Amino acid sequence: DATAMADYIQRNSCGMPTIFFTGYSYGVGRYFIELAEALQAHGLVIDTAVLCDGIRRFHFLKWLSLALFRDLITIRVPANVETVYAFYQREDRLLQGHAVVAYDADETEVEMIELHGYGHEEIDEAGSYHRVALKEAEDVIQAGLGYCYKGGAL
């Protein structure tokens, strides 16, 4: 539940937390967007998101997730997300990552990165995706160093 997670982050953070997200497939096209919107309602920012072959899934029109419709569907990132690296592939016949676009290009930088030699089921194992995710996570951890407790920073 993305709203519950955003509430938890807001309730247990000191000041403005440093938030990193990585996700794959429907976890991008659905959960990531719901989480970003829920965090935005709290005034919180996702510093960096590393996404892998994100697919927007529709409850009642699941067939719209298929590769045939990929050019009709986008994943729109809320303005409270600062930087997005979106890995995708075009080799799977059924599922291909949807384009990731910013609601506000002045607030959110989106870099689309096409990987070759992978289908949808394998792309999340790509070394380049792992390297970027680990590097960005490390950068966020380093930027957010410092301990706090609910009463304030230590």
Side-chain angles (χ1 to χ4, degrees):
D1 178 343
T3 301
M5 178 58 75
D7 292 345
Y8 176 85
I9 292 169
Q10 191 274 330
R11 187 175 55 249
N12 291 288
S13 298
C14 300
M16 184 61 74
T18 303
I19 301 172
F20 168 81
F21 182 92
T22 188
Y24 165 70
S25 193
Y26 298 132
V28 171
R30 181 153 181 185
Y31 185 80
F32 168 65
I33 299 305
E34 289 176 2
L35 178 63
E37 290 171 346
L39 289 167
Q40 189 173 40
H42 287 295
L44 298 176
V45 172
I46 296 177
D47 297 87
T48 306
V50 181
L51 312 177
C52 188
D53 222 31
I55 295 181
R56 187 166 169 208
R57 185 173 182 175
F58 299 87
H59 285 301
F60 299 108
L61 303 172
K62 293 180 182 174
W63 50 269
L64 282 175
S65 298
L66 297 176
L68 177 65
F69 302 101
R70 75 171 162 83
D71 292 331
L72 302 175
I73 310 294
T74 59
I75 296 171
R76 296 185 61 80
V77 178
N80 66 316
V81 180
E82 292 181 349
T83 304
V84 177
Y85 299 96
F87 290 83
Y88 69 98
Q89 55 77 32
R90 293 291 178 251
E91 297 179 26
D92 196 293
R93 294 176 64 193
L94 289 178
L95 294 174
Q96 298 176 359
H98 292 124
V100 176
V101 298
Y103 271 116
D104 184 343
D106 292 332
E107 298 292 327
T108 305
E109 179 184 346
V110 176
E111 183 176 342
M112 296 292 297
I113 304 164
E114 184 173 4
L115 295 182
H116 300 278
Y118 297 96
H120 182 71
E121 291 185 11
E122 302 88 28
I123 192 170
D124 63 322
E125 297 298 328
S128 54
Y129 163 63
H130 285 214
R131 281 189 295 279
V132 170
L134 289 171
K135 163 91 172 67
E136 294 302 318
E138 182 180 272
D139 289 352
V140 168
I141 289 167
Q142 292 298 321
L145 281 182
Y147 299 94
C148 70
Y149 63 100
K150 195 170 181 177
L154 287 179

